[in-house]
Amino acid sequence: MEPHIALLPSAGMGHLMPFLRLAAMLASRNCKVTLLTAQPTVSAAESNHLNSFFSVHPHIQRLDFHVVPLQTSNPHGDPFFLQFEAIIRSVHLLPPLLSSLSPPISALFLDIAAATCVDQLADHPSLSISYYILSTTSARFFSLLTHLPHLTLESSCENLKLHGLPSFSISNIPPPLFNPQNLFTTQLISNARAISRVKGVVSNTFHWFEAETIEALNSGKTSITLPQFLPIGPFKPYEDPGKCASLSWLDEQPAKSVVYVSFGSRTAMSKDQIKEIGEGLLKSKQKFLWVLKSVIVDKVEETELQELVGRSLLEKIEEKKQGIVVKEWVKQEEILTHHAIGGFFSHCGWNSAMEAAQRGVPMLAWTLNGDQRFNAEVVEKAGLGLWPKHWGWLGERLVKSEEIEEKIEELMQDHKFRSMAQKVGEEAKRAWEIGGTSEKVVGQIIEMLKL
Ligand code: UDX
């Protein structure tokens, strides 16, 4: 009989999208799939995406999970962080919901950001199921997370060496992790504690891309016992109806002539920094498609855009016809697949890095927060792009337009990046051929789910 699997994503497009891809993949491999959708969603982008996903995947069951919203008096007022917490605190509502499903579910996939839910669910008498984690980050950052409960981080050291794992540079560790009282840190620690209770950790990465780390995680030689690490990336895009508006502009541009500029599903950047980026793009003389977001995801109103970028810069961009500024949600995967795209200036969120890897698009990485420096290390080491480390974390200092101009030119004109990125794209495809590393692991997961 086909196994019935439930999935519970966390908040934010960077977490929701890999879950939708995993749900589509499991459904295509003869699993019955129920996706629990935490309500209310944090953004309209999430709600729109869910609606369009279910419209093209009617065989995937949707089950709304009404979480108890937290009071925004939480000192860490980030809405995504609050939603992670809301999901974790509402987990007691899950057992009756999950046990009402028919046929009974045999496994639940949780986001690494809400892994601590396993602690509350695993001992529940009405649920006799297996648990899996979907890690929405690089294997490299995941490997750091696994050791967090046993670590005292000292910023005075240069490197961190954990038994059985490749070493980490201290300067790449997100600053909040040095403060064990920080709410973000305590949440990561409680999630990390739950990892040992799950049957497997599924990850959107592929063996060739992170071979050393993946082998270390599965070697049994780490100082803590870990479940099997199951790399099955790059995730295939799921069918998504409708065409992205910016594609008609791209259609008119020569092959590999455009740099795509986007810093993920939400980006809080100072107005001054936004202006430097705009000036830098213009000075580079490269064509560009620049997606601008305000703090919370979806779109920027015209007046807000003028306020952010400045009317004169917007006019200059329009006059020079060198690029376009998009103020709405775009279909990033379609853009990255377009023949006109020759480079990607990105914050190095893990989904963005994998989407670029899959298509062999070279990246210019400028890390914003969280796992992104670890991701950028992977990108740099694999030859997928360049990472000017001296720019620091995005927002740490004002990176001037001349610096941006220089790196954009390097990205778009130095052909070594293009050929190295192409090699990454070929390896990513190979992982999914019959007998490829990710294809084999998927087969293994399906067998595990049938047990
Ligand atoms: C977050 C974290 O910031 C990131 O570091 C972590 O690795 C995953 O969770 P986010 O910042 O949103 O993610 O970036 P990213 O991982 O790149 O995910 C964004 C997703 O939204 C990508 O799949 C991207 O294709 C999609 N996207 C983003 C769009 O389709 N359109 C947009 O306009 C913006």
Side-chain angles (χ1 to χ4, degrees):
M1 204 179 61
E2 58 177 18
H4 184 183
I5 314 299
L7 291 90
L8 175 62
S10 291
M13 295 306 289
H15 295 260
L16 179 62
M17 292 189 68
F19 263 90
L20 299 183
R21 289 167 190 149
L22 178 64
M25 197 274 285
L26 291 173
S28 73
R29 300 270 171 148
N30 294 328
C31 295
K32 179 170 168 54
V33 176
T34 296
L35 191 77
L36 294 153
T37 47
Q39 297 290 335
T41 55
V42 173
S43 70
E46 283 176 42
S47 162
N48 295 342
H49 247 79
L50 284 167
N51 292 340
S52 90
F53 177 79
F54 286 109
S55 73
V56 285
H57 294 96
H59 49 294
I60 295 180
Q61 179 166 262
R62 174 179 190 157
L63 185 61
D64 283 344
F65 169 43
H66 294 276
V67 297
V68 183
L70 294 176
Q71 299 305 313
T72 39
S73 57
N74 185 318
H76 195 308
D78 179 305
F80 296 90
F81 182 85
L82 291 173
Q83 181 79 339
F84 289 154
E85 271 213 278
I87 291 174
I88 293 166
R89 289 196 195 180
S90 306
V91 74
H92 62 280
L93 304 171
L94 271 180
L97 208 58
L98 292 173
S99 22
S100 70
L101 290 170
S102 172
I105 57 161
S106 56
L108 173 67
F109 281 76
L110 290 157
D111 193 318
I112 181 74
T116 182
C117 292
V118 176
D119 286 331
Q120 293 178 60
L121 294 171
D123 301 325
H124 202 279
S126 73
L127 285 176
S128 171
I129 59 174
S130 323
Y131 295 90
Y132 290 82
I133 285 172
L134 171 60
S135 166
T136 51
T137 183
S138 52
R140 188 158 172 72
F141 191 66
F142 173 80
S143 66
L144 173 74
L145 289 181
T146 59
H147 283 71
L148 276 187
H150 318 281
L151 269 185
T152 311
L153 287 171
E154 309 268 356
S155 51
S156 52
C157 314
E158 223 174 86
N159 283 309
L160 174 67
K161 182 79 194 98
L162 300 175
H163 188 72
L165 288 171
S167 68
F168 306 104
S169 161
I170 286 283
S171 62
N172 294 338
I173 294 176
L177 291 191
F178 292 92
N179 174 5
Q181 263 78 52
N182 181 289
L183 280 172
F184 172 71
T185 311
T186 54
Q187 200 176 69
L188 289 186
I189 291 174
S190 52
N191 284 327
R193 284 212 174 91
I195 292 172
S196 60
R197 301 190 74 166
V198 305
K199 199 165 173 187
V201 176
V202 172
S203 169
N204 181 21
T205 188
F206 58 108
H207 187 269
W208 182 90
F209 206 32
E210 295 195 81
E212 194 187 0
T213 310
I214 292 170
E215 282 166 20
L217 284 169
N218 280 333
S219 67
K221 290 187 187 146
T222 51
S223 51
I224 50 171
T225 312
L226 292 172
Q228 209 171 351
F229 189 79
L230 302 156
I232 58 165
F235 281 165
K236 291 189 179 147
Y238 54 83
E239 208 186 316
D240 190 0
K243 207 175 177 228
C244 179
S246 355
L247 289 183
S248 46
W249 180 79
L250 277 182
D251 287 344
E252 292 161 15
Q253 310 307 321
K256 303 209 185 299
S257 65
V258 177
V259 56
Y260 168 56
V261 186
S262 176
F263 300 98
S265 57
R266 58 205 171 108
T267 311
M269 224 188 266
S270 73
K271 275 193 226 168
D272 287 343
Q273 189 58 77
I274 289 175
K275 288 198 180 93
E276 295 294 334
I277 293 176
E279 294 288 357
L281 288 169
L282 284 175
K283 285 182 190 162
S284 76
K285 308 262 187 325
Q286 304 299 314
K287 300 246 176 189
F288 60 85
L289 192 163
W290 181 17
V291 182
L292 257 175
K293 299 276 194 306
S294 59
V295 182
I296 304 187
V297 193
D298 303 325
K299 61 176 187 176
V300 186
E301 296 304 333
E302 186 60 39
T303 44
E304 201 187 344
L305 183 71
Q306 287 186 7
E307 162 80 357
L308 277 173
V309 190
R311 195 192 275 262
S312 64
L313 184 58
L314 280 175
E315 279 168 5
K316 228 194 286 180
I317 292 173
E318 211 170 311
E319 184 193 314
K320 291 200 171 179
K321 302 211 180 324
Q322 190 188 329
I324 53 170
V325 181
V326 182
K327 49 188 195 298
E328 281 164 352
W329 186 259
V330 293
K331 292 185 178 177
Q332 177 162 301
E333 294 203 277
E334 272 186 47
I335 290 182
L336 286 173
T337 309
H338 199 284
H339 64 83
I341 296 296
F344 182 12
F345 185 16
S346 162
H347 70 319
C348 239
W350 189 243
N351 298 285
S352 290
M354 287 300 292
E355 287 159 16
Q358 191 168 23
R359 294 161 180 85
V361 177
M363 299 180 85
L364 167 58
W366 188 8
T367 54
L368 175 68
N369 57 31
D371 56 345
Q372 293 153 14
R373 282 190 162 206
F374 279 63
N375 306 345
E377 277 185 303
V378 176
V379 163
E380 190 187 47
K381 196 164 171 225
L384 183 62
L386 65 159
W387 173 31
K389 296 175 197 61
H390 60 285
W391 286 7
W393 294 97
L394 205 159
E396 208 172 9
R397 75 174 175 94
L398 188 71
V399 175
K400 303 295 285 180
S401 61
E402 295 76 22
E403 300 175 85
I404 292 166
E405 171 197 1
E406 184 200 326
K407 292 296 167 194
I408 294 279
E409 273 178 0
E410 200 177 332
L411 173 75
M412 297 299 281
Q413 287 178 358
D414 188 336
H415 284 273
K416 82 170 179 276
F417 291 116
R418 196 165 287 175
S419 58
M420 290 196 309
Q422 199 179 333
K423 159 93 177 130
V424 177
E426 283 158 14
E427 293 295 342
K429 280 196 191 78
R430 202 159 294 151
W432 262 102
E433 284 167 3
I434 305 291
T437 51
S438 295
E439 199 270 344
K440 274 203 280 199
V441 175
V442 169
Q444 196 185 333
I445 293 170
I446 301 296
E447 288 310 310
M448 287 165 82
L449 291 171
K450 282 184 188 158
L451 293 177

